[in-house]
Amino acid sequence: MSEENEEIKKEAVDAKAPAEKTPVPEAEPSKEEAKAEAEEPKAEEPKAKKSKAKAEEPKAEAEEPKAEAEEPKAKKSKAKTEEPKAEEAEAKEPKAKAEEAEAGEAKAEEPKVNPLTGEVEGAPAPKIRKIKGSKNVSTGIVHIRATFNNTQVTITDMKGNSISWSSSGKGGFKGSRKSTAFAATSVAMDAAKTAMTHGMQEVEIRVQGPGAGRESAIRAIQSAGLRVNSIKDVTPIPHNGCRARKRRRV
C-alpha cells in the first residue's frame, strides 16, 4: 500500500509541474533573404558617409569666414603694436646720435699722453726762444751723475761738447737737501730748458751712480719737452780692482 501511495504522489507532482518548453528549431533563412540582408548594410554605409560629409561641409564653410574675419583683426593689432614701437625707435634715434656726438667730443677732448716721453699727442709744440749765439744742436746726450751727496746734470752734443749743465748747489740747495729727489728734478729741468734754447730736441740719457735722484732726473727731462731715444746705465763696476773704501758708519 505504501508503494502505491508514493507512486500516486509522484504522478500528482508531475501533473502540477509546468510542462518543459521544448526548443522549436528556427527555420533557416532562404538564399534570397540572406542576399538582401548582406546588401542592406552596404547600401546604408555610403548614405551615412554622404550625410557626414554634407554635415561637415557647412561647418568648414562656417569656419572659413571666421578665419578670414580673424586675419584682419590680427593684422590691425600687429600694426597697432608696431606703430608705437616705430615711434619709440624714432624718438630714441636722435637721443642716441646726440649721446654718440657727446662721447666723440669727450674722446676728442681727452689728451693722449705718450707713456715713454710724457708728451701730449696732438698738442702744439712749445715755443722755444733761442738765445743769441745759440749752437743749433738738435740731438745730444744727457749725463746724470747721482751720488749720495749731490746730483749733477750735464747736456752735451754727440761729440761730448757741453751745451748746458746744472747741479744741486747751483740750484740753491744746501746740506742734506742736495741729495734729494726734488733737488734732482729741479736740476734736470734747469739744464734741459737751457739746452732747448740752443735747439735741443732729442737726447740720449746716460745715468751714473746710486743716488736717489736717478729716476726723478729722467722724468724731469721727459716732462721738460725733450724726446728721449734711449736710457743707459754707465755706472762703473769694479771687477776686483782697487781696494774699496772703508764702509760708512751709519
Side-chain angles (χ1 to χ4, degrees), residues 71-180:
E71 282 179 1
K73 289 181 182 178
K75 287 180 181 177
K76 286 179 182 179
S77 62
K78 285 182 182 178
K80 286 180 182 178
T81 53
E82 286 174 359
E83 283 176 1
K85 288 181 181 178
E87 290 175 0
E88 288 177 2
E90 289 176 359
K92 286 180 181 177
E93 280 179 2
K95 290 181 181 179
K97 288 180 181 177
E99 288 176 359
E100 287 177 2
E102 289 176 2
E105 289 175 1
K107 287 181 181 178
E109 288 175 0
E110 289 179 1
K112 293 181 179 179
V113 180
N114 191 340
L116 296 175
T117 61
E119 296 177 355
V120 179
E121 295 180 2
K127 292 182 179 180
I128 301 167
R129 294 180 180 178
K130 292 183 179 181
I131 59 173
K132 288 183 179 180
S134 61
K135 298 179 180 179
N136 294 326
V137 179
S138 60
T139 58
I141 302 170
V142 179
H143 301 271
I144 300 171
R145 188 182 183 194
T147 64
F148 291 117
N149 299 319
N150 199 357
T151 303
Q152 297 172 349
V153 178
T154 305
I155 299 175
T156 66
D157 60 6
M158 299 304 291
K159 293 180 181 179
N161 300 317
S162 64
I163 294 170
S164 66
W165 68 276
S166 185
S167 66
S168 298
K170 183 184 176 183
F173 297 94
K174 294 181 180 179
S176 61
R177 295 181 63 196
K178 291 169 68 176
S179 60
T180 59

Side-chain angles (χ1 to χ4, degrees), residues 182-205:
F182 177 72
T185 301
S186 63
V187 166
M189 289 286 286
D190 182 24
K193 285 179 181 178
T194 305
M196 289 170 74
T197 58
H198 291 279
M200 188 73 66
Q201 295 177 355
E202 298 179 2
V203 294
E204 297 177 2
I205 296 177

